[in-house]
Amino acid sequence: MNNELLEALTLLEKEKDISKDTLLEAIEQSLIQACKNHFGKADNVKVYINPETCEFHVWAEKTVVEKVEDDVTEISLAAALMMDSKYDLGDVVNVEIKSKEFGRIATQNAKNVILQKIREEERKVLYNQYYAKEHDVVTGIVQRYLGRNVSINLGKVDAILNENEMVKGEVFRPTERIKVYILEVKDTSKGPKILVSRTHPELVKRLFESEVTEVRDGVVEIKSIAREAGSRTKMAVWSNNPDVDPVGACVGVNGSRVNTIVNELRGEKIDIINWNENNAILIENALSPAKVISVIADDDEKTAKVVVPDYQLSLAIGKEGQNARLAARLTGFKIDIKSETQARESGEFDDYYLEDEYDDYGDYDGEYADEDGYSEENGYSDDEYADDVYADEDAPNQDMAVQEEE
């Protein structure tokens, strides 16, 4: 019997990840509960269990008296002397209780105590396991739709992907594997309740940590992320090693690293720029792929005035203002973008133009786009927001990596 109990506890410890000490404690409590149900009280009951062999003994501490009034807590002198001749009145005698003598109800109650303890510990183990993964990315299997929400199986427990945490337009098929970001883990009486997200900006950060060794090791830091889930993400990176290009590390050879993440996000564009402690330079980088003539940043007010060439205004603002909006979120600045003509008419920026980039007639001395909004130098389009190319040696801004659209 003891060997069978030992094997059962070892199996439970392995399968449920519940420590043997916890299970032995549950058995001890169940035996005490059985004694209480059988005898009506158990204040004087002691249980000893050998953790190595699972051999257990149940003892009742009884006081030696001349006349027994409570046979649960007292024992007569004659009975005590039959056990050992050294006992006298007032001594405490340990009388062993045979668990086989317990009635059916007491046994059933003891069984319920053990099962309840196992369930509680299993729930606690699951909670601790997934609580440690809070704010991390895990892979789950789509189970089914619950109304407009989706049930995602994470292995030992199901998580809920709420409608407001889903990317607009995403549709999942049962048994499909997806990566989700764990927002919160709650401990409930029915087990851990896990809320996950596909729209959180940290999802992108965690995906880069898993895909890019330099980010995972801390050589490259992701300083800031701005995301409009399902459409575009801007990410500012910084390298702690001057020999490591942070943008190149994140993009990978021929875009292999960033492509893996884009595929996981189902085609969401990812712009990667260099972080800079100078806010004006950071804002210029954040507005890529648009060229910038001048940036006046007010660090105290967290506002910035930006001048761009006339033909770059729509590119700087982006479709429905997306590029400017993401740049503002990325930098934390409120950005006011004006075209060169608007800036000259207002007269606010005359002292800040980059004079060496203009010829004697005041025209920009760089590569201009043609009438269709394209530049032979970089192939960017005002309307297409440079969706088709990666930043490379031919690109206008080396701080920018624009995702290649498959």
Side-chain angles (χ1 to χ4, degrees), residues 204-255:
V204 179
K205 181 178 181 180
R206 297 301 183 189
L207 289 175
F208 271 98
E209 287 176 353
S210 64
E211 189 66 29
V212 181
T213 306
E214 291 83 353
V215 176
R216 186 166 56 250
D217 294 342
V219 176
V220 173
E221 292 183 37
I222 298 176
K223 290 286 193 177
S224 180
I225 290 181
R227 184 186 184 201
E228 291 190 357
S231 179
R232 185 173 294 274
T233 292
K234 279 185 180 285
M235 184 173 74
V237 294
W238 168 267
S239 175
N240 294 311
N241 186 338
D243 296 329
V244 176
D245 173 23
V247 174
C250 293
V251 172
V253 180
N254 295 325

Side-chain angles (χ1 to χ4, degrees), residues 20-36:
K20 188 186 296 182
D21 292 339
T22 300
L23 294 170
L24 290 175
E25 182 184 345
I27 293 173
E28 179 181 336
Q29 293 299 320
S30 70
L31 290 170
I32 293 175
Q33 183 63 39
C35 290
K36 185 174 182 179

Side-chain angles (χ1 to χ4, degrees), residues 181-215:
Y181 177 78
I182 298 181
L183 283 175
E184 186 179 13
V185 180
K186 297 179 180 179
D187 190 14
T188 69
S189 59
K190 295 182 179 180
K193 181 180 179 181
I194 304 175
L195 302 178
V196 296
S197 172
R198 287 273 296 174
T199 62
H200 203 284
E202 285 290 311
L203 173 63
V204 179
K205 181 178 181 180
R206 297 301 183 189
L207 289 175
F208 271 98
E209 287 176 353
S210 64
E211 189 66 29
V212 181
T213 306
E214 291 83 353
V215 176

Side-chain angles (χ1 to χ4, degrees), residues 57-316:
H57 296 277
V58 183
W59 307 92
E61 296 179 343
K62 297 187 178 183
T63 304
V64 179
V65 295
E66 188 171 341
K67 183 179 179 181
V68 177
E69 295 180 357
D70 184 354
D71 58 1
V72 176
T73 59
E74 297 174 345
I75 185 173
S76 66
L77 179 59
L81 291 174
M82 289 178 63
M83 297 174 60
D84 196 319
S85 58
K86 69 178 182 179
Y87 289 121
D88 199 353
L89 293 174
D91 289 344
V92 176
V93 179
N94 288 329
V95 180
E96 187 168 6
I97 300 173
K98 301 296 182 182
S99 57
K100 292 181 180 180
E101 298 175 359
F102 295 156
R104 181 180 61 83
I105 296 178
T107 303
Q108 184 63 38
N109 289 338
K111 176 184 175 182
N112 292 338
V113 170
I114 295 176
L115 293 176
Q116 178 65 22
K117 185 66 174 178
I118 291 175
R119 284 192 292 268
E120 289 177 359
E121 288 302 315
E122 186 177 11
R123 191 162 59 240
K124 187 183 298 183
V125 167
L126 283 175
Y127 172 76
N128 291 335
Q129 179 181 344
Y130 286 96
Y131 182 76
K133 296 180 180 180
E134 197 174 54
H135 308 312
D136 205 350
V137 170
V138 295
T139 301
I141 299 175
V142 177
Q143 296 288 91
R144 61 192 180 279
Y145 274 86
L146 304 173
R148 300 195 177 193
N149 302 330
V150 180
S151 175
I152 311 290
N153 182 263
L154 302 183
K156 295 181 180 180
V157 68
D158 288 347
I160 300 298
L161 178 61
N162 291 324
E163 181 187 12
N164 58 354
E165 295 296 340
M166 296 169 58
V167 176
K168 187 176 181 181
E170 270 193 341
V171 179
F172 304 107
R173 301 184 306 273
T175 72
E176 183 179 3
R177 288 181 174 271
I178 61 172
K179 291 187 182 294
V180 293
Y181 177 78
I182 298 181
L183 283 175
E184 186 179 13
V185 180
K186 297 179 180 179
D187 190 14
T188 69
S189 59
K190 295 182 179 180
K193 181 180 179 181
I194 304 175
L195 302 178
V196 296
S197 172
R198 287 273 296 174
T199 62
H200 203 284
E202 285 290 311
L203 173 63
V204 179
K205 181 178 181 180
R206 297 301 183 189
L207 289 175
F208 271 98
E209 287 176 353
S210 64
E211 189 66 29
V212 181
T213 306
E214 291 83 353
V215 176
R216 186 166 56 250
D217 294 342
V219 176
V220 173
E221 292 183 37
I222 298 176
K223 290 286 193 177
S224 180
I225 290 181
R227 184 186 184 201
E228 291 190 357
S231 179
R232 185 173 294 274
T233 292
K234 279 185 180 285
M235 184 173 74
V237 294
W238 168 267
S239 175
N240 294 311
N241 186 338
D243 296 329
V244 176
D245 173 23
V247 174
C250 293
V251 172
V253 180
N254 295 325
S256 58
R257 289 175 169 178
V258 74
N259 270 338
T260 301
I261 297 171
V262 167
N263 291 336
E264 177 59 40
L265 299 177
R266 305 192 175 193
E268 181 176 318
K269 305 299 187 298
I270 300 178
D271 301 342
I272 307 172
I273 68 165
N274 274 321
W275 172 270
N276 199 295
E277 295 294 336
N278 186 317
N279 288 321
I281 298 176
L282 177 62
I283 292 168
E284 179 183 356
N285 294 345
L287 287 171
S288 296
K291 293 181 179 180
V292 174
I293 295 175
S294 173
V295 178
I296 306 173
D298 188 331
D299 295 344
D300 296 329
E301 297 293 331
K302 289 292 181 180
T303 59
K305 296 181 179 180
V306 178
V307 178
V308 298
D310 290 353
Y311 77 99
Q312 292 273 291
L313 181 61
S314 61
L315 183 61

